């Protein structure tokens, strides 16, 4: 019985810690566009990127064509847009857990 109680206590502490960590991640406003076409990144090929604090990172978790044709007049290869994001930089890439493209400015 003590083992079960200890296990439940450990599991509860783990879940509380995980919830606290999740709630500390804040929404950031970032520039988002094609890494190659608009941010001058390599390797070659159109891929979604964000610019945070003047530094650009390719994005994992959202694809460039999920928000329309990247080569359209207002697409990511033609324009730099703004998005709300939650994520973290891992191994030089931005791993997104929340992504909301904001409306274009008129």
């Amino acid at each position: 019985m003590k083992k079960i109680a200890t296990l439940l206590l450990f599991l509860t502490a783990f879940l509380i810690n995980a919830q606290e960590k999740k709630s500390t991640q804040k929404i950031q406003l970032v520039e988002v566009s094609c890494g190659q076409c608009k941010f001058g990144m390599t390797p070659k090929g159109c891929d979604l990127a964000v610019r945070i604090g003047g530094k650009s990172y390719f994005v994992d978790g959202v694809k460039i064509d999920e928000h329309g044709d990247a080569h359209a007049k207002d697409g990511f290869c033609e324009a730099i847009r703004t998005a709300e994001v939650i994520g973290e930089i891992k191994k030089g890439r931005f791993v997104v857990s929340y992504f909301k493209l904001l409306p274009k400015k008129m």
Side-chain angles (χ1 to χ4, degrees):
M1 188 67 172
K2 283 186 177 182
K3 288 182 182 181
I4 292 173
T6 303
L7 181 61
L8 287 175
L9 182 62
F10 175 76
L11 184 58
T12 302
F14 175 78
L15 291 174
I16 289 170
N17 186 38
Q19 184 63 30
E20 287 175 356
K21 183 178 180 184
K22 185 177 182 182
S23 66
T24 61
Q25 291 183 330
K26 301 211 185 302
I27 293 175
Q28 300 179 66
L29 284 178
V30 298
E31 293 180 308
V32 60
S33 196
C34 175
Q36 175 192 353
C37 296
K38 290 301 196 183
F39 294 156
M41 299 172 70
T42 56
K44 299 293 182 194
C46 298
D47 205 3
L48 191 63
V50 296
R51 189 159 47 197
I52 302 171
K55 188 162 182 189
S56 301
Y57 303 92
F58 285 115
V59 174
D60 291 331
V62 177
K63 300 291 182 201
I64 196 166
D65 288 319
E66 287 181 32
H67 298 279
D69 180 4
H71 295 99
K73 181 177 147 185
D74 61 348
F76 288 129
C77 292
E78 302 297 326
I80 297 174
R81 302 277 303 273
T82 303
E84 293 179 344
V85 298
I86 296 175
E88 60 185 316
I89 300 166
K90 289 185 179 178
K91 297 182 181 178
R93 296 180 67 90
F94 187 77
V95 180
V96 67
S97 58
Y98 170 80
F99 183 95
K100 179 181 177 185
L101 184 62
L102 297 180
K104 296 173 280 190
K105 295 178 183 177
M106 296 276 171

